[in-house]
Amino acid sequence: MAKQANNNGAILGFEAQLWAAANKLRGNMEPSDYKHVAMGLIFLKYISDAFEAKRAALVDEDLADAEDPEEYLAENVFWVPKVARWSHLQARAKQPSIGKDIDEAMLAIEVRNASLKGVLPKEYARPALNKIMLGELIDLVSGIGMAEEADRSRDILGRVYEYFLGSFAGAEGKRGGEFYTPRSVVRLLVEMLEPYKGRVYDPCCGSGGMFVQSEKFVEEHGGRIGDIAIYGQESNYTTWRLARMNLAVRGIDADIRWNNEGSFHKDELPDLRADFILANPPFNVSDWGGDRLREDARWAFGVPPVGNANYAWLQHILHHLAPNGTAGVVLANGSMSAATSGQDDIRRALVEADAVDCMIALPGQLFHSVPIPVCLWFLARNKDPGGDSRDRRGDVLFIDARKLGHMVDRTRKEFAEEDIARIAGKYHAWQGARDSARYEDEPGFCRSATLEEIREHGHVLTPGRYVGAAAVDDDGVPFEERFAELKETLAEQFAEADKLSALIQLKLKEVGAYD
């Protein structure tokens, strides 16, 4: 496949070309099914390439047994049995038994690598899977990184895996949002929090993009992989498998737990206190089982409503923060102003406890699955941690980023690196971080507000109320975004009204009002 390189050696458009070719092979197969077929093969190619590179080095050294699994374990390289090596599968790609061969390869890898047990897809032999398509997909994946040296080849495979995750999220539409947070949003969270060293946690980690970007950040700023310890939890088993493969492709060691009850009802890491938490919880979830969690140690700021999990997520995250920990959380815009079912009381308690550090309003169309604009909450356990940071107690930074970003296709928007740098730069300047420019309010974009000002606004945290109505106010939002946001709020209020009506009917029945 043709490739173009810029002066930095970066491949331009390679991932998109590969995706177009792979998607063409999909035919009538549903993206949600094809996703696991394609991602599994890319993962298999990655670990096989890593194995072969290490094997070649051992053969050249002539000092060790190239077929000794312990030699690979010592270098954090997965042991790949002969039946699972890519060269073996590529040679059999046109055989009618190729599906069975791949399943056996996946099983053999899991048997020899305990950390991958239960992770790899093993449904390639099913009759419904077109074996001709499977053989052609193997040929396509075989070309990834062929002309590159070993380390570069594996990096390209990692980038392809990440690109395919995003492309499948777009192809699946609403369902795609269950496992993928757009890369530019993750980049913004990471650039804001700067997780150089310490414990990083995501209680609803999806396919693991928060962790991949955190490791990239450390590397890009001269740190070492391993300077951060990664922890996560995911309730969807197939998504958990994607995350485990995504991290393995990047060579990232992580403690990612799965159970189908989720972080609220079966917190797998109850004693964890993280230095950094990055999370994109499902928005406005109404069936989170809150009725079974009325008394819980995590609800230090108020019991969250059973009909909306937004404030349950915020409090779960605060509960897991270390004394100087910080968190970045993606939530629906309604969370900044919701006044139903006691959400306003919880928000007031969070603000008065000085747990809110920064609020950012994002533009619409950033997410594959969410047409409405969303926001970022930044929480801090200690706003006067010392060191390079100033004492931020009593202040909250508001940033209105709704006018930033650019359209990358007909339906979706992304932040450019300049957008991310502008937002993160303001935040770090406001923090008083070393090497940052001196902070100044920027009308229409950002403003540092005091707790007293927030009280005057009824503890509503919508940035448009603070950054300057003359420059950008709520009425300046495009009609489509405003309508979608109002529709979301109205749906929430109708749901609350329905529940209240049902409760009233039940009480009336109990007291015999209908007798």
Side-chain angles (χ1 to χ4, degrees):
M1 184 176 292
K3 59 184 179 181
Q4 305 168 353
N6 63 14
N7 292 334
N8 296 320
I11 295 178
L12 302 176
F14 175 84
E15 299 96 328
Q17 294 174 42
L18 191 67
W19 164 256
N23 199 39
K24 186 176 180 180
L25 292 176
R26 176 171 65 87
N28 294 325
M29 193 174 184
E30 287 295 323
S32 56
D33 293 328
Y34 187 61
K35 171 177 65 186
H36 300 288
V37 173
M39 305 306 279
L41 288 177
I42 294 171
F43 176 79
L44 192 57
K45 174 73 158 57
Y46 168 82
I47 63 171
S48 182
D49 281 7
F51 171 84
E52 293 290 5
K54 177 61 180 174
R55 187 173 184 275
L58 290 173
V59 170
D60 288 343
E61 291 172 7
D62 200 26
L63 298 173
D65 182 0
E67 294 297 323
D68 180 4
E70 295 299 323
E71 294 290 340
Y72 299 83
L73 183 63
E75 296 292 328
N76 200 28
V77 173
F78 292 110
W79 168 259
V80 181
K82 290 181 180 180
V83 297
R85 295 172 192 173
W86 191 259
S87 56
H88 172 77
L89 295 173
Q90 188 178 3
R92 301 180 62 82
K94 300 300 187 289
Q95 300 296 320
S97 63
I98 185 59
K100 183 172 178 288
D101 293 334
I102 297 172
D103 284 346
E104 290 176 350
M106 297 291 192
L107 184 60
I109 290 169
E110 288 192 354
V111 167
R112 299 303 296 269
N113 300 275
S115 65
L116 294 177
K117 185 176 181 181
V119 171
L120 307 185
K122 296 177 285 292
E123 297 179 341
Y124 291 87
R126 66 185 189 271
L129 190 57
N130 186 310
K131 302 307 181 288
I132 295 176
M133 175 274 288
L134 195 53
E136 291 175 343
L137 186 58
I138 288 174
D139 287 344
L140 185 67
V141 173
S142 295
I144 302 176
M146 265 192 66
E148 307 289 344
E149 55 108 22
D151 287 343
R152 175 127 177 90
S153 174
R154 293 196 297 277
D155 179 62
I156 291 170
L157 278 160
R159 284 170 45 194
V160 168
Y161 192 98
E162 185 179 4
Y163 187 88
F164 270 43
L165 280 173
S167 298
F168 275 117
E172 290 185 55
K174 184 175 181 180
R175 292 177 60 192
E178 296 174 1
F179 69 87
Y180 184 78
T181 305
R183 181 179 178 276
S184 69
V185 176
V186 180
R187 282 280 293 175
L188 176 57
L189 286 167
V190 170
E191 290 291 337
M192 295 277 285
L193 294 180
E194 296 189 317
Y196 285 110
K197 187 177 292 186
R199 293 154 296 186
V200 178
Y201 171 56
D202 185 344
C204 42
C205 66
S207 55
M210 301 287 190
F211 305 136
V212 170
Q213 293 295 333
S214 294
E215 284 276 10
K216 282 184 182 177
F217 178 85
V218 172
E219 284 189 303
E220 288 171 4
H221 291 80
R224 299 174 302 157
I225 285 186
D227 280 351
I228 58 175
I230 288 173
Y231 303 89
Q233 184 166 339
E234 173 57 43
S235 61
N236 183 298
Y237 182 66
T238 56
T239 300
W240 171 79
R241 288 163 56 190
L242 285 174
R244 291 292 302 275
M245 288 192 290
N246 192 18
L247 297 175
V249 162
R250 289 292 182 176
I252 299 173
D253 187 27
D255 183 358
I256 307 296
R257 311 284 182 90
W258 166 80
N259 71 64
N260 59 10
E261 295 181 59
S263 294
F264 289 139
H265 294 276
K266 190 176 180 182
D267 190 349
E268 291 280 353
L269 300 157
D271 299 322
L272 174 67
R273 297 296 179 267
D275 301 294
F276 306 98
I277 298 180
L278 302 91
N280 175 24
F283 303 151
N284 299 326
V285 173
S286 60
D287 57 351
W288 63 284
D291 55 319
R292 305 195 305 274
L293 291 172
R294 295 296 81 194
E295 296 182 9
D296 193 290
R298 289 170 292 184
W299 314 148
F301 300 91
V303 180
V306 297
N308 192 306
N310 288 343
Y311 281 92
W313 281 116
L314 288 172
Q315 293 189 83
H316 173 86
I317 286 164
L318 266 169
H319 177 78
H320 277 284
L321 276 180
N324 288 327
T326 53
V329 188
V330 186
L331 280 179
N333 267 9
S335 64
M336 298 187 290
S337 58
T340 58
S341 302
Q343 293 177 90
D344 50 345
D345 293 328
I346 300 174
R347 186 172 58 253
R348 180 184 300 109
L350 289 169
V351 171
E352 293 297 338
D354 224 3
V356 181
D357 201 36
C358 176
M359 298 296 301
I360 302 179
L362 299 181
Q365 298 178 276
L366 284 175
F367 285 73
H368 294 285
S369 58
V370 184
I372 61 171
V374 299
C375 64
L376 299 181
W377 288 68
F378 287 88
L379 307 173
R381 272 290 184 190
N382 179 11
K383 291 165 74 171
D384 183 23
D388 298 324
S389 297
R390 71 176 182 87
D391 184 350
R392 307 187 304 279
R393 288 177 294 181
D395 294 336
V396 176
L397 178 64
F398 291 92
I399 297 177
D400 191 339
R402 289 177 297 175
K403 291 191 178 296
L404 300 186
H406 61 282
M407 299 301 294
V408 292
D409 57 39
R410 185 174 56 84
T411 61
R412 194 169 57 84
K413 187 177 287 188
E414 279 185 359
F415 282 131
E417 288 298 317
E418 295 78 16
D419 297 327
I420 294 171
R422 182 184 178 191
I423 298 169
K426 279 292 186 182
Y427 179 59
H428 296 313
W430 177 79
Q431 285 181 310
R434 184 177 55 194
D435 299 329
S436 294
R438 182 175 175 272
Y439 173 79
E440 292 183 359
D441 289 338
E442 187 176 329
F445 180 64
C446 66
R447 186 164 183 272
S448 180
T450 64
L451 293 185
E452 184 56 40
E453 291 176 272
I454 297 172
R455 292 183 191 115
E456 292 173 2
H457 285 281
H459 295 87
V460 169
L461 299 178
T462 307
R465 293 195 176 212
Y466 301 91
V467 301
V472 176
D473 58 23
D474 285 347
D475 293 332
V477 181
F479 171 77
E480 294 82 1
E481 293 184 15
R482 169 60 62 198
F483 181 77
E485 186 176 351
L486 289 173
K487 185 178 177 182
E488 175 197 10
T489 302
L490 190 61
E492 180 183 326
Q493 291 173 346
F494 272 129
E496 289 295 332
D498 288 343
K499 288 174 185 174
L500 182 59
S501 176
L503 181 61
I504 291 172
Q505 296 294 326
L506 181 62
K507 291 296 183 184
L508 288 173
K509 189 173 182 179
E510 287 177 357
V511 299
Y514 296 121
D515 293 343

